[in-house]
Each structure stands twice: as C-alpha cells, then as structure tokens.
Amino acid sequence: SLTIQISVHFLLEERFQEELVRWEEQLKVRREHGDRLDQPRQVEHFAYFRKLDNAKKVAEDLSTIGYEVSVAKAGLFKFSLLATREDALDEHFVQAFKAVLFVVEGNGGTYDGFGAEVVE
C-alpha cells in the first residue's frame, strides 16, 4: 500500500542522512590528505543480508548499473555483499552511493559503508 511505501522511503531517507554525515566527515579527512576527489578510483560498498535470495537480487540489480558484485557466506545466517565500481568522489558520487544504499536496504540488507583509496 501507499502508506507502507511512504514509510519505507522515509526510513531509507533517514538511513541515507546518517551515512551522509559519515561521508561529510570522511570528505573532510580526504581533503586534509590532498585527495583529488575528481579522480576515479575503485570504490567498494559493503552490505550484509540474512537471506541469500535478497543478496542475489541486490547483486543482480547493482550489476546492471556497472558494479562488479560478489556475495559470500559470512557466518551461520549471514551473507556479505561487496559491490565495486570505479567512481570519482565528486558531487555525483553521493547519488551513486544513495542508489546502492536504497537497493541494499530496500531489499532487506544492511548497508555497511564504503571504502576507497586516497588519490593524490
């Protein structure tokens, strides 16, 4: 129903705002280290799922938008997903990472942030 869709979207938006705060902090540190944010580099996004089917669906969705994705068993009832793509960490990156977070958390996963090297 529409009510459920709206509340799910609201929760995803809220989660995105939390990750955005972390991203702002990371940006500050990256700038201090002279990171050339406009330069593409491998960016790895991490996520966890309780159900393999959910992880596989997300892997499929992310691969259609250019991510290389792997899913692995991570404990008894847990699966990890690693989605990698070359991206610059510019203003467009925020939309890219929002898309990953929404796909992951919209399909029962837990987004666990991303990592990328500093490019000087």
Side-chain angles (χ1 to χ4, degrees):
S1 82
L2 188 59
T3 313
I4 292 170
Q5 286 176 337
I6 291 170
S7 55
V8 165
H9 184 79
F10 180 75
L11 290 172
L12 290 174
E13 222 22 90
E14 214 169 65
R15 273 288 294 121
F16 175 62
Q17 292 307 317
E18 291 169 16
E19 290 296 331
L20 210 49
V21 169
R22 288 193 188 96
W23 170 233
E24 295 295 334
E25 292 165 0
Q26 198 183 123
L27 255 183
K28 205 175 130 187
V29 172
R30 286 178 175 280
R31 286 194 180 108
E32 287 166 5
H33 288 282
D35 194 340
R36 291 169 51 216
L37 300 167
D38 60 330
Q39 296 301 303
R41 79 280 319 267
Q42 288 290 101
V43 181
E44 298 178 322
H45 296 270
F46 306 95
Y48 293 96
F49 295 84
R50 290 195 186 285
K51 295 182 179 161
L52 181 58
D53 287 348
N54 292 20
K56 283 181 176 174
K57 185 197 180 317
V58 169
E60 215 170 276
D61 291 351
L62 292 177
S63 65
T64 64
I65 54 171
Y67 286 92
E68 220 172 273
V69 189
S70 63
V71 174
K73 199 158 174 40
L76 203 50
F77 300 108
K78 213 176 191 186
F79 299 90
S80 65
L81 178 141
L82 172 64
T84 309
R85 184 172 84 176
E86 199 159 286
D87 276 309
L89 301 181
D90 56 14
E91 65 279 2
H92 304 289
F93 177 70
V94 172
Q95 289 311 310
F97 115 70
K98 181 178 187 174
V100 174
L101 183 139
F102 271 52
V103 170
V104 166
E105 302 229 343
N107 286 285
T110 303
Y111 183 74
D112 196 28
F114 64 88
E117 63 184 66
V118 169
V119 176
E120 292 178 52

PDB file of all heavy atoms in Angstrom, residues 9-34:
ATOM      1  N   HIS A   9      10.222   4.504   2.307  1.00  0.00           N
ATOM      2  CA  HIS A   9      11.038   5.552   1.693  1.00  0.00           C
ATOM      3  C   HIS A   9      11.585   6.499   2.763  1.00  0.00           C
ATOM      4  O   HIS A   9      12.742   6.885   2.718  1.00  0.00           O
ATOM      5  CB  HIS A   9      10.238   6.336   0.648  1.00  0.00           C
ATOM      6  CG  HIS A   9      11.067   7.353  -0.061  1.00  0.00           C
ATOM      7  ND1 HIS A   9      11.925   7.013  -1.095  1.00  0.00           N
ATOM      8  CD2 HIS A   9      11.225   8.687   0.137  1.00  0.00           C
ATOM      9  CE1 HIS A   9      12.551   8.098  -1.493  1.00  0.00           C
ATOM     10  NE2 HIS A   9      12.151   9.120  -0.776  1.00  0.00           N
ATOM     11  N   PHE A  10      10.750   6.841   3.739  1.00  0.00           N
ATOM     12  CA  PHE A  10      11.171   7.728   4.824  1.00  0.00           C
ATOM     13  C   PHE A  10      12.320   7.099   5.616  1.00  0.00           C
ATOM     14  O   PHE A  10      13.295   7.760   5.935  1.00  0.00           O
ATOM     15  CB  PHE A  10       9.986   8.050   5.744  1.00  0.00           C
ATOM     16  CG  PHE A  10      10.346   8.954   6.883  1.00  0.00           C
ATOM     17  CD1 PHE A  10      10.552  10.314   6.676  1.00  0.00           C
ATOM     18  CD2 PHE A  10      10.520   8.445   8.159  1.00  0.00           C
ATOM     19  CE1 PHE A  10      10.911  11.156   7.727  1.00  0.00           C
ATOM     20  CE2 PHE A  10      10.879   9.277   9.216  1.00  0.00           C
ATOM     21  CZ  PHE A  10      11.069  10.634   8.996  1.00  0.00           C
ATOM     22  N   LEU A  11      12.195   5.804   5.922  1.00  0.00           N
ATOM     23  CA  LEU A  11      13.247   5.104   6.670  1.00  0.00           C
ATOM     24  C   LEU A  11      14.557   5.059   5.864  1.00  0.00           C
ATOM     25  O   LEU A  11      15.635   5.249   6.417  1.00  0.00           O
ATOM     26  CB  LEU A  11      12.812   3.684   7.030  1.00  0.00           C
ATOM     27  CG  LEU A  11      11.722   3.569   8.087  1.00  0.00           C
ATOM     28  CD1 LEU A  11      11.256   2.125   8.215  1.00  0.00           C
ATOM     29  CD2 LEU A  11      12.220   4.089   9.433  1.00  0.00           C
ATOM     30  N   LEU A  12      14.438   4.810   4.564  1.00  0.00           N
ATOM     31  CA  LEU A  12      15.629   4.781   3.716  1.00  0.00           C
ATOM     32  C   LEU A  12      16.278   6.158   3.672  1.00  0.00           C
ATOM     33  O   LEU A  12      17.495   6.290   3.742  1.00  0.00           O
ATOM     34  CB  LEU A  12      15.272   4.321   2.299  1.00  0.00           C
ATOM     35  CG  LEU A  12      14.879   2.857   2.146  1.00  0.00           C
ATOM     36  CD1 LEU A  12      14.411   2.578   0.720  1.00  0.00           C
ATOM     37  CD2 LEU A  12      16.031   1.940   2.515  1.00  0.00           C
ATOM     38  N   GLU A  13      15.469   7.185   3.554  1.00  0.00           N
ATOM     39  CA  GLU A  13      15.957   8.564   3.529  1.00  0.00           C
ATOM     40  C   GLU A  13      16.697   8.870   4.839  1.00  0.00           C
ATOM     41  O   GLU A  13      17.759   9.482   4.838  1.00  0.00           O
ATOM     42  CB  GLU A  13      14.758   9.482   3.368  1.00  0.00           C
ATOM     43  CG  GLU A  13      14.814  10.661   2.448  1.00  0.00           C
ATOM     44  CD  GLU A  13      15.816  10.711   1.311  1.00  0.00           C
ATOM     45  OE1 GLU A  13      15.514  10.260   0.208  1.00  0.00           O
ATOM     46  OE2 GLU A  13      16.921  11.259   1.508  1.00  0.00           O
ATOM     47  N   GLU A  14      16.121   8.410   5.953  1.00  0.00           N
ATOM     48  CA  GLU A  14      16.727   8.620   7.272  1.00  0.00           C
ATOM     49  C   GLU A  14      18.090   7.925   7.356  1.00  0.00           C
ATOM     50  O   GLU A  14      19.059   8.489   7.847  1.00  0.00           O
ATOM     51  CB  GLU A  14      15.784   8.062   8.342  1.00  0.00           C
ATOM     52  CG  GLU A  14      15.804   8.825   9.630  1.00  0.00           C
ATOM     53  CD  GLU A  14      14.668   8.384  10.542  1.00  0.00           C
ATOM     54  OE1 GLU A  14      14.673   7.203  10.974  1.00  0.00           O
ATOM     55  OE2 GLU A  14      13.784   9.218  10.813  1.00  0.00           O
ATOM     56  N   ARG A  15      18.165   6.673   6.885  1.00  0.00           N
ATOM     57  CA  ARG A  15      19.427   5.915   6.861  1.00  0.00           C
ATOM     58  C   ARG A  15      20.449   6.632   5.984  1.00  0.00           C
ATOM     59  O   ARG A  15      21.623   6.712   6.322  1.00  0.00           O
ATOM     60  CB  ARG A  15      19.184   4.498   6.313  1.00  0.00           C
ATOM     61  CG  ARG A  15      18.772   3.511   7.347  1.00  0.00           C
ATOM     62  CD  ARG A  15      19.903   3.123   8.282  1.00  0.00           C
ATOM     63  NE  ARG A  15      20.963   2.395   7.599  1.00  0.00           N
ATOM     64  CZ  ARG A  15      22.243   2.789   7.541  1.00  0.00           C
ATOM     65  NH1 ARG A  15      22.652   3.879   8.133  1.00  0.00           N
ATOM     66  NH2 ARG A  15      23.136   2.078   6.895  1.00  0.00           N
ATOM     67  N   PHE A  16      19.980   7.150   4.847  1.00  0.00           N
ATOM     68  CA  PHE A  16      20.876   7.867   3.940  1.00  0.00           C
ATOM     69  C   PHE A  16      21.449   9.094   4.631  1.00  0.00           C
ATOM     70  O   PHE A  16      22.642   9.375   4.507  1.00  0.00           O
ATOM     71  CB  PHE A  16      20.138   8.258   2.653  1.00  0.00           C
ATOM     72  CG  PHE A  16      20.976   9.093   1.729  1.00  0.00           C
ATOM     73  CD1 PHE A  16      22.144   8.586   1.186  1.00  0.00           C
ATOM     74  CD2 PHE A  16      20.601  10.379   1.411  1.00  0.00           C
ATOM     75  CE1 PHE A  16      22.929   9.355   0.332  1.00  0.00           C
ATOM     76  CE2 PHE A  16      21.371  11.159   0.563  1.00  0.00           C
ATOM     77  CZ  PHE A  16      22.537  10.640   0.022  1.00  0.00           C
ATOM     78  N   GLN A  17      20.633   9.815   5.376  1.00  0.00           N
ATOM     79  CA  GLN A  17      21.114  11.003   6.103  1.00  0.00           C
ATOM     80  C   GLN A  17      22.208  10.624   7.102  1.00  0.00           C
ATOM     81  O   GLN A  17      23.190  11.349   7.250  1.00  0.00           O
ATOM     82  CB  GLN A  17      19.955  11.731   6.805  1.00  0.00           C
ATOM     83  CG  GLN A  17      18.972  12.395   5.854  1.00  0.00           C
ATOM     84  CD  GLN A  17      19.623  13.330   4.848  1.00  0.00           C
ATOM     85  OE1 GLN A  17      20.519  14.112   5.175  1.00  0.00           O
ATOM     86  NE2 GLN A  17      19.191  13.247   3.599  1.00  0.00           N
ATOM     87  N   GLU A  18      22.056   9.474   7.767  1.00  0.00           N
ATOM     88  CA  GLU A  18      23.089   9.002   8.710  1.00  0.00           C
ATOM     89  C   GLU A  18      24.406   8.754   7.967  1.00  0.00           C
ATOM     90  O   GLU A  18      25.479   9.151   8.434  1.00  0.00           O
ATOM     91  CB  GLU A  18      22.673   7.675   9.367  1.00  0.00           C
ATOM     92  CG  GLU A  18      21.523   7.771  10.327  1.00  0.00           C
ATOM     93  CD  GLU A  18      21.014   6.376  10.728  1.00  0.00           C
ATOM     94  OE1 GLU A  18      21.726   5.366  10.505  1.00  0.00           O
ATOM     95  OE2 GLU A  18      19.891   6.307  11.255  1.00  0.00           O
ATOM     96  N   GLU A  19      24.309   8.066   6.831  1.00  0.00           N
ATOM     97  CA  GLU A  19      25.512   7.772   6.046  1.00  0.00           C
ATOM     98  C   GLU A  19      26.128   9.048   5.480  1.00  0.00           C
ATOM     99  O   GLU A  19      27.342   9.148   5.345  1.00  0.00           O
ATOM    100  CB  GLU A  19      25.207   6.785   4.912  1.00  0.00           C
ATOM    101  CG  GLU A  19      24.907   5.380   5.384  1.00  0.00           C
ATOM    102  CD  GLU A  19      26.084   4.686   6.073  1.00  0.00           C
ATOM    103  OE1 GLU A  19      27.251   4.992   5.748  1.00  0.00           O
ATOM    104  OE2 GLU A  19      25.827   3.828   6.937  1.00  0.00           O
ATOM    105  N   LEU A  20      25.278  10.018   5.170  1.00  0.00           N
ATOM    106  CA  LEU A  20      25.749  11.295   4.624  1.00  0.00           C
ATOM    107  C   LEU A  20      26.606  12.035   5.643  1.00  0.00           C
ATOM    108  O   LEU A  20      27.618  12.635   5.282  1.00  0.00           O
ATOM    109  CB  LEU A  20      24.538  12.150   4.217  1.00  0.00           C
ATOM    110  CG  LEU A  20      24.712  13.117   3.067  1.00  0.00           C
ATOM    111  CD1 LEU A  20      25.355  12.444   1.860  1.00  0.00           C
ATOM    112  CD2 LEU A  20      23.378  13.735   2.683  1.00  0.00           C
ATOM    113  N   VAL A  21      26.237  11.952   6.911  1.00  0.00           N
ATOM    114  CA  VAL A  21      27.018  12.579   7.986  1.00  0.00           C
ATOM    115  C   VAL A  21      28.412  11.939   8.018  1.00  0.00           C
ATOM    116  O   VAL A  21      29.421  12.642   8.081  1.00  0.00           O
ATOM    117  CB  VAL A  21      26.306  12.436   9.354  1.00  0.00           C
ATOM    118  CG1 VAL A  21      27.233  12.842  10.497  1.00  0.00           C
ATOM    119  CG2 VAL A  21      25.037  13.270   9.372  1.00  0.00           C
ATOM    120  N   ARG A  22      28.460  10.605   7.921  1.00  0.00           N
ATOM    121  CA  ARG A  22      29.758   9.905   7.890  1.00  0.00           C
ATOM    122  C   ARG A  22      30.564  10.331   6.670  1.00  0.00           C
ATOM    123  O   ARG A  22      31.776  10.490   6.747  1.00  0.00           O
ATOM    124  CB  ARG A  22      29.548   8.388   7.862  1.00  0.00           C
ATOM    125  CG  ARG A  22      29.065   7.845   9.166  1.00  0.00           C
ATOM    126  CD  ARG A  22      29.169   6.329   9.198  1.00  0.00           C
ATOM    127  NE  ARG A  22      28.523   5.827  10.381  1.00  0.00           N
ATOM    128  CZ  ARG A  22      27.268   5.381  10.422  1.00  0.00           C
ATOM    129  NH1 ARG A  22      26.548   5.334   9.331  1.00  0.00           N
ATOM    130  NH2 ARG A  22      26.745   4.966  11.546  1.00  0.00           N
ATOM    131  N   TRP A  23      29.881  10.472   5.536  1.00  0.00           N
ATOM    132  CA  TRP A  23      30.549  10.870   4.294  1.00  0.00           C
ATOM    133  C   TRP A  23      31.140  12.265   4.424  1.00  0.00           C
ATOM    134  O   TRP A  23      32.270  12.509   4.020  1.00  0.00           O
ATOM    135  CB  TRP A  23      29.575  10.780   3.127  1.00  0.00           C
ATOM    136  CG  TRP A  23      30.067  11.394   1.848  1.00  0.00           C
ATOM    137  CD1 TRP A  23      29.426  12.320   1.097  1.00  0.00           C
ATOM    138  CD2 TRP A  23      31.297  11.137   1.159  1.00  0.00           C
ATOM    139  NE1 TRP A  23      30.173  12.654  -0.001  1.00  0.00           N
ATOM    140  CE2 TRP A  23      31.329  11.942   0.007  1.00  0.00           C
ATOM    141  CE3 TRP A  23      32.385  10.308   1.418  1.00  0.00           C
ATOM    142  CZ2 TRP A  23      32.397  11.943  -0.892  1.00  0.00           C
ATOM    143  CZ3 TRP A  23      33.458  10.304   0.521  1.00  0.00           C
ATOM    144  CH2 TRP A  23      33.451  11.112  -0.609  1.00  0.00           C
ATOM    145  N   GLU A  24      30.406  13.195   5.035  1.00  0.00           N
ATOM    146  CA  GLU A  24      30.923  14.557   5.240  1.00  0.00           C
ATOM    147  C   GLU A  24      32.199  14.527   6.076  1.00  0.00           C
ATOM    148  O   GLU A  24      33.155  15.234   5.783  1.00  0.00           O
ATOM    149  CB  GLU A  24      29.871  15.447   5.927  1.00  0.00           C
ATOM    150  CG  GLU A  24      28.612  15.708   5.109  1.00  0.00           C
ATOM    151  CD  GLU A  24      28.844  16.505   3.835  1.00  0.00           C
ATOM    152  OE1 GLU A  24      29.834  17.282   3.772  1.00  0.00           O
ATOM    153  OE2 GLU A  24      28.065  16.335   2.885  1.00  0.00           O
ATOM    154  N   GLU A  25      32.210  13.684   7.116  1.00  0.00           N
ATOM    155  CA  GLU A  25      33.402  13.561   7.968  1.00  0.00           C
ATOM    156  C   GLU A  25      34.564  12.992   7.160  1.00  0.00           C
ATOM    157  O   GLU A  25      35.703  13.447   7.260  1.00  0.00           O
ATOM    158  CB  GLU A  25      33.111  12.650   9.171  1.00  0.00           C
ATOM    159  CG  GLU A  25      32.119  13.257  10.147  1.00  0.00           C
ATOM    160  CD  GLU A  25      31.544  12.242  11.126  1.00  0.00           C
ATOM    161  OE1 GLU A  25      31.898  11.035  11.070  1.00  0.00           O
ATOM    162  OE2 GLU A  25      30.708  12.660  11.962  1.00  0.00           O
ATOM    163  N   GLN A  26      34.269  11.972   6.336  1.00  0.00           N
ATOM    164  CA  GLN A  26      35.308  11.342   5.524  1.00  0.00           C
ATOM    165  C   GLN A  26      35.856  12.331   4.489  1.00  0.00           C
ATOM    166  O   GLN A  26      37.060  12.361   4.228  1.00  0.00           O
ATOM    167  CB  GLN A  26      34.725  10.101   4.819  1.00  0.00           C
ATOM    168  CG  GLN A  26      35.790   9.167   4.332  1.00  0.00           C
ATOM    169  CD  GLN A  26      35.251   7.978   3.576  1.00  0.00           C
ATOM    170  OE1 GLN A  26      35.644   7.785   2.436  1.00  0.00           O
ATOM    171  NE2 GLN A  26      34.363   7.188   4.173  1.00  0.00           N
ATOM    172  N   LEU A  27      34.956  13.135   3.924  1.00  0.00           N
ATOM    173  CA  LEU A  27      35.362  14.144   2.932  1.00  0.00           C
ATOM    174  C   LEU A  27      36.385  15.100   3.528  1.00  0.00           C
ATOM    175  O   LEU A  27      37.379  15.438   2.885  1.00  0.00           O
ATOM    176  CB  LEU A  27      34.140  14.956   2.488  1.00  0.00           C
ATOM    177  CG  LEU A  27      33.551  14.676   1.131  1.00  0.00           C
ATOM    178  CD1 LEU A  27      32.390  15.632   0.861  1.00  0.00           C
ATOM    179  CD2 LEU A  27      34.568  14.730   0.019  1.00  0.00           C
ATOM    180  N   LYS A  28      36.112  15.534   4.750  1.00  0.00           N
ATOM    181  CA  LYS A  28      36.997  16.467   5.446  1.00  0.00           C
ATOM    182  C   LYS A  28      38.405  15.861   5.574  1.00  0.00           C
ATOM    183  O   LYS A  28      39.399  16.507   5.247  1.00  0.00           O
ATOM    184  CB  LYS A  28      36.405  16.764   6.831  1.00  0.00           C
ATOM    185  CG  LYS A  28      36.830  18.093   7.414  1.00  0.00           C
ATOM    186  CD  LYS A  28      36.115  18.356   8.723  1.00  0.00           C
ATOM    187  CE  LYS A  28      37.140  18.750   9.766  1.00  0.00           C
ATOM    188  NZ  LYS A  28      36.627  18.877  11.108  1.00  0.00           N
ATOM    189  N   VAL A  29      38.465  14.612   6.020  1.00  0.00           N
ATOM    190  CA  VAL A  29      39.740  13.917   6.187  1.00  0.00           C
ATOM    191  C   VAL A  29      40.430  13.743   4.829  1.00  0.00           C
ATOM    192  O   VAL A  29      41.628  13.976   4.699  1.00  0.00           O
ATOM    193  CB  VAL A  29      39.534  12.542   6.875  1.00  0.00           C
ATOM    194  CG1 VAL A  29      40.820  11.738   6.883  1.00  0.00           C
ATOM    195  CG2 VAL A  29      39.017  12.748   8.291  1.00  0.00           C
ATOM    196  N   ARG A  30      39.654  13.372   3.817  1.00  0.00           N
ATOM    197  CA  ARG A  30      40.221  13.186   2.478  1.00  0.00           C
ATOM    198  C   ARG A  30      40.824  14.486   1.951  1.00  0.00           C
ATOM    199  O   ARG A  30      41.897  14.485   1.360  1.00  0.00           O
ATOM    200  CB  ARG A  30      39.162  12.662   1.504  1.00  0.00           C
ATOM    201  CG  ARG A  30      38.834  11.205   1.723  1.00  0.00           C
ATOM    202  CD  ARG A  30      37.750  10.714   0.784  1.00  0.00           C
ATOM    203  NE  ARG A  30      37.548   9.288   0.941  1.00  0.00           N
ATOM    204  CZ  ARG A  30      38.317   8.342   0.401  1.00  0.00           C
ATOM    205  NH1 ARG A  30      39.344   8.676  -0.349  1.00  0.00           N
ATOM    206  NH2 ARG A  30      38.070   7.071   0.603  1.00  0.00           N
ATOM    207  N   ARG A  31      40.131  15.604   2.168  1.00  0.00           N
ATOM    208  CA  ARG A  31      40.653  16.904   1.709  1.00  0.00           C
ATOM    209  C   ARG A  31      41.953  17.242   2.433  1.00  0.00           C
ATOM    210  O   ARG A  31      42.891  17.746   1.820  1.00  0.00           O
ATOM    211  CB  ARG A  31      39.607  17.999   1.912  1.00  0.00           C
ATOM    212  CG  ARG A  31      38.488  17.908   0.898  1.00  0.00           C
ATOM    213  CD  ARG A  31      37.638  19.168   0.864  1.00  0.00           C
ATOM    214  NE  ARG A  31      36.580  19.034  -0.108  1.00  0.00           N
ATOM    215  CZ  ARG A  31      35.289  18.883   0.206  1.00  0.00           C
ATOM    216  NH1 ARG A  31      34.912  18.869   1.470  1.00  0.00           N
ATOM    217  NH2 ARG A  31      34.386  18.746  -0.734  1.00  0.00           N
ATOM    218  N   GLU A  32      42.002  16.958   3.747  1.00  0.00           N
ATOM    219  CA  GLU A  32      43.219  17.209   4.529  1.00  0.00           C
ATOM    220  C   GLU A  32      44.399  16.406   3.985  1.00  0.00           C
ATOM    221  O   GLU A  32      45.542  16.826   4.087  1.00  0.00           O
ATOM    222  CB  GLU A  32      42.992  16.874   6.002  1.00  0.00           C
ATOM    223  CG  GLU A  32      42.117  17.882   6.722  1.00  0.00           C
ATOM    224  CD  GLU A  32      41.618  17.395   8.083  1.00  0.00           C
ATOM    225  OE1 GLU A  32      42.022  16.296   8.536  1.00  0.00           O
ATOM    226  OE2 GLU A  32      40.798  18.121   8.689  1.00  0.00           O
ATOM    227  N   HIS A  33      44.108  15.222   3.422  1.00  0.00           N
ATOM    228  CA  HIS A  33      45.157  14.365   2.859  1.00  0.00           C
ATOM    229  C   HIS A  33      45.427  14.669   1.390  1.00  0.00           C
ATOM    230  O   HIS A  33      46.178  13.941   0.746  1.00  0.00           O
ATOM    231  CB  HIS A  33      44.793  12.885   3.035  1.00  0.00           C
ATOM    232  CG  HIS A  33      44.906  12.413   4.446  1.00  0.00           C
ATOM    233  ND1 HIS A  33      46.111  12.112   5.034  1.00  0.00           N
ATOM    234  CD2 HIS A  33      43.963  12.209   5.391  1.00  0.00           C
ATOM    235  CE1 HIS A  33      45.902  11.740   6.278  1.00  0.00           C
ATOM    236  NE2 HIS A  33      44.615  11.795   6.523  1.00  0.00           N
ATOM    237  N   GLY A  34      44.798  15.712   0.872  1.00  0.00           N
ATOM    238  CA  GLY A  34      45.040  16.116  -0.514  1.00  0.00           C
ATOM    239  C   GLY A  34      44.425  15.209  -1.556  1.00  0.00           C
ATOM    240  O   GLY A  34      44.915  15.104  -2.676  1.00  0.00           O
TER     241      GLY A  34
END
